[in-house]
Amino acid sequence: QKEVEQNSGPLSVPEGAIASLNCTYSDRGSQSFFWYRQYSGKSPELIMFIYSNGDKEDGRFTAQLNKASQYVSLLIRDSQPSDSATYLCAVSTASKLTFGTGTRLQVTL
Amino acid sequence: GAGVSQSPRYKVAKRGQDVALRCDPISGHVSLFWYQQALGQGPEFLTYFQNEAQLDKSGLPSDRFFAERPEGSVSTLKIQRTQQEDSAVYLCASSLYEQFFGPGTRLTVL
């Protein structure tokens, strides 16, 4: 079992819809959770981080954390073509980040 | 303010050559990380510095890989006797808490 699991996609959503990206992790000791966006040929860009159970909203993005279920998600409202990218879930344990393989999101016109 | 910078952005090496990859972190960031990203995969942790101290090098794949940060700022990742399997993008990140990534160095070993 991988430490951080994501569906590789592609996840295709129409413009204006909500995109839902999911991630599960295996280490119950993990404390902090991050979502990075990575465009093709570029480096990861931090979108959101969350430490506590529940929801955290920032603009069109909402991160959700459920430590009991070891589950993290990212919702993108009003999806735009510019949101088309790979979304990486990362879990922090002893400072270092462990990444999933990423979910490729395609927002169609 | 400037972000994390890395050089060179691209490096082509013949198998068996030594390479050195440089990372300039965000000013004031105490922690510095190196990751390796293969095509279609997420970044994988290599090593971590807090100031000049290398606190974790558990991700370095072999003793051909060596990293240093002698003055607690700029860091260099050195790969000796490069092999084809070393071909990847090498990412540097710096942090106070959240990690911010540089543009990466794409290494191709022929």
Side-chain angles (χ1 to χ4, degrees):
Chain A
Q1 182 190 5
K2 289 187 177 178
E3 293 182 55
V4 180
E5 299 225 32
Q6 296 181 256
N7 187 320
S8 61
L11 172 66
S12 186
V13 300
E15 184 177 6
I18 296 174
S20 177
L21 304 161
N22 305 314
C23 171
T24 58
Y25 61 95
S26 60
D27 185 352
R28 285 194 171 274
S30 300
Q31 294 295 315
S32 307
F33 307 86
F34 302 82
W35 284 99
Y36 285 83
R37 176 175 64 200
Q38 187 170 31
Y39 292 112
S40 181
K42 302 294 185 183
S43 62
E45 172 192 6
L46 181 65
I47 299 175
M48 298 244 352
F49 56 89
I50 186 167
Y51 318 130
S52 305
N53 277 327
D55 295 1
K56 179 182 178 184
E57 186 173 320
D58 184 0
R60 296 188 295 113
F61 299 97
T62 299
Q64 299 175 317
L65 173 62
N66 184 325
K67 289 187 178 181
S69 300
Q70 295 174 252
Y71 177 87
V72 194
S73 67
L74 179 69
L75 300 179
I76 306 174
R77 288 181 299 281
D78 188 23
S79 296
Q80 301 297 309
S82 59
D83 295 326
S84 297
T86 295
Y87 288 80
L88 296 163
C89 172
V91 173
S92 177
T93 308
S95 297
K96 72 182 185 185
L97 294 178
T98 301
F99 285 86
T101 55
T103 298
R104 188 157 63 93
L105 173 66
Q106 293 177 337
V107 180
T108 58
L109 295 172
Chain B
V4 179
S5 61
Q6 292 186 245
S7 61
R9 293 292 313 279
Y10 303 91
K11 177 70 179 177
V12 179
K14 291 184 179 178
R15 189 162 53 97
Q17 281 185 332
D18 298 349
V19 299
L21 312 180
R22 177 188 168 104
C23 173
D24 279 273
I26 295 170
S27 178
H29 279 194
V30 169
S31 301
L32 185 147
F33 302 80
W34 284 98
Y35 294 85
Q36 180 191 59
Q37 187 172 23
L39 192 63
Q41 301 296 314
E44 294 209 359
F45 171 80
L46 294 176
T47 187
Y48 157 50
F49 292 86
Q50 189 167 316
N51 296 305
E52 68 277 6
Q54 189 173 21
L55 298 187
D56 187 344
K57 54 181 181 179
S58 62
L60 296 176
S62 77
D63 59 6
R64 296 185 295 103
F65 287 71
F66 171 78
E68 60 184 5
R69 194 186 185 197
E71 297 178 358
S73 178
V74 170
S75 177
T76 304
L77 176 67
K78 297 179 179 178
I79 309 173
Q80 297 176 324
R81 304 180 304 283
T82 53
Q83 303 295 313
Q84 284 189 324
E85 61 263 28
D86 300 335
S87 296
V89 175
Y90 290 85
L91 294 163
C92 175
S94 71
S95 79
L96 286 176
Y97 188 75
E98 300 86 34
Q99 294 187 29
F100 296 93
F101 284 83
T105 295
R106 182 177 297 276
L107 173 65
T108 302
V109 181
L110 303 177

